């Protein structure tokens, strides 16, 4: 439709009015709006959308965000909810996508997801909020406002196969209803690649064991000279429900050479949900030249419930300095 502004529709500071004929949709609780990113200067800042029906009922959809590939979260399409507040039929969800740590696991292709529930279906939703989405070993978290999906029966996830090295090794997906806190785990552990496995780049997944979770573990090495270590670092999570075995932190998706001076290394760890974390045990095996290590802190995110805990340290793990310990118990304080 052509708005009141004609060819100058959507210019800075303008209010454009459009007429649309449609069947009666009832009370509108959500809209999807975006642009095709074509033309010179396609970036657009949308303040709000107001919809008025032929009975004079007005519903406002606040936005105040950029629709631009080079601004903020880079999105050019958004879902807006009435009055900016999720109503009884519009809920907030968190989608957590864990890429595998095999060599070549990451992808730069465009990834989309369909979520099927007992009440509603979210169809072909693009997952994109960071240039580094879906890189090897990475945990990506997406926020979503959509109609109440009910119990989630399946997800279909895939990519467009475009770009160099489009093949993707997907480990798993979590979906969390932020209102009820109910969560669903969808294991995959397969390639979505034309030249791997069965050649499929789209897969449909069904819920698995909901007692498991993925922990994002951030380890900050001290900034003093010689603070880094080449030893094998391990961690053990002690929760109110259970305690994990010692887990060796092998693949950092932020640094090729992990635990170097002033590094912040991030690891994805799959585990049974241990409940509220009470403490961690962290240390190394003292193997290699320059095994001594200065640990600043550890931060842990339980991706199933969004809990963020920080474990301060600020001590050496060294047999030749300080108290000689290479393993320590650390206690936390809650960040979220």
């Amino acid at each position: 439709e052509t708005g009141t502004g004609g060819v100058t529709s959507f210019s800075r500071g303008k209010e454009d009015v459009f007429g649309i004929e449609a069947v009666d949709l009832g009370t509108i609780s959500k809209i999807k709006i975006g642009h095709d990113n074509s033309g010179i200067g396609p970036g657009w800042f949308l303040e709000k959308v107001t919809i008025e029906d032929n009975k004079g009922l007005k519903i406002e959809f606040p936005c105040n965000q950029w629709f631009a590939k080079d601004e903020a979260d880079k999105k050019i399409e958004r879902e807006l909810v009435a009055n900016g507040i999720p109503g009884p039929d519009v809920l907030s969800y968190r989608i957590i996508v864990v890429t595998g740590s095999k060599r070549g696991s990451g992808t730069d292709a465009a990834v989309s997801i369909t979520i099927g529930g007992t009440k509603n279906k979210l169809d072909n939703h693009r997952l994109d909020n960071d240039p580094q989405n879906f890189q090897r070993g990475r945990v990506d978290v997406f926020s979503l406002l959509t109609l109440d999906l009910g119990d989630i029966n399946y997800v279909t996830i895939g990519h467009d196969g475009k770009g160099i090295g489009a093949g993707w090794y997907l480990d798993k997906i979590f979906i969390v209803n932020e209102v009820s806190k109910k969560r669903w785990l969808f294991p995959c552990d397969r390639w979505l690649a034309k030249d791997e496995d069965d050649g499929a780049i789209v897969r449909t997944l069904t819920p698995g064991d909901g007692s498991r979770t993925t922990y994002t573990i951030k380890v900050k090495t001290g900034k003093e000279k010689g603070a880094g270590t080449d030893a094998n670092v391990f961690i053990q999570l002690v929760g109110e429900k259970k305690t994990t075995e010692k887990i060796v932190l092998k693949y950092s998706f932020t640094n090729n050479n992990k635990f170097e001076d002033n590094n912040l290394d991030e690891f994805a760890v799959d585990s049974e949900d241990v409940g509220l974390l009470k403490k961690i045990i962290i240390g190394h095996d003292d193997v290699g030249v320059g095994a001594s290590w200065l640990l600043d802190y550890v931060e842990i995110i339980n991706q199933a419930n969004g809990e963020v805990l920080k474990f301060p340290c600020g001590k050496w793990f060294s047999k030749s300095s300080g108290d000689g310990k290479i393993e320590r118990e650390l206690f936390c304080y809650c960040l979220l």
Side-chain angles (χ1 to χ4, degrees), residues 50-196:
T50 302
I51 296 179
E52 181 178 0
D53 65 17
N54 57 8
K55 299 174 184 177
L57 175 65
K58 289 185 179 181
I59 305 174
E60 189 168 287
F61 298 82
C63 183
N64 291 307
Q65 296 190 75
W66 280 100
F67 291 63
K69 289 286 189 179
D70 56 355
E71 296 281 356
D73 61 6
K74 314 294 191 295
K75 288 185 178 181
I76 59 172
E77 182 179 297
R78 298 183 186 279
E79 290 184 350
L80 308 180
V81 294
N83 303 315
I85 303 171
D89 295 323
V90 180
L91 299 180
S92 177
Y93 291 86
R94 185 157 34 97
I95 302 171
I96 302 105
V97 181
V98 183
T99 297
S101 57
K102 295 176 180 286
R103 186 177 296 276
S105 291
T107 185
D108 293 321
V111 174
S112 298
I113 191 170
T114 293
I115 306 174
T118 54
K119 292 184 178 180
N120 286 292
K121 177 183 176 184
L122 177 72
D123 193 42
N124 202 33
H125 179 77
R126 174 77 182 273
L127 298 175
D128 181 11
N129 62 9
D130 190 287
Q132 297 302 312
N133 285 149
F134 315 118
Q135 297 307 298
R136 179 184 177 190
R138 184 178 163 101
V139 178
D140 290 292
V141 181
F142 304 90
S143 296
L144 172 70
L145 284 174
T146 190
L147 293 175
D148 183 359
L149 298 169
D151 280 325
I152 298 175
N153 297 323
Y154 71 91
V155 300
T156 298
I157 190 161
H159 60 78
D160 60 6
K162 295 180 180 178
I164 298 172
W168 181 36
Y169 194 89
L170 172 61
D171 187 357
K172 65 179 75 66
I173 299 168
F174 288 95
I175 299 179
V176 182
N177 180 325
E178 297 281 40
V179 177
S180 69
K181 301 304 179 185
K182 185 168 184 178
R183 71 193 193 206
W184 297 264
L185 167 65
F186 298 88
C188 182
D189 201 22
R190 293 184 71 177
W191 284 99
L192 284 76
K194 293 179 180 179
D195 56 354
E196 297 280 359

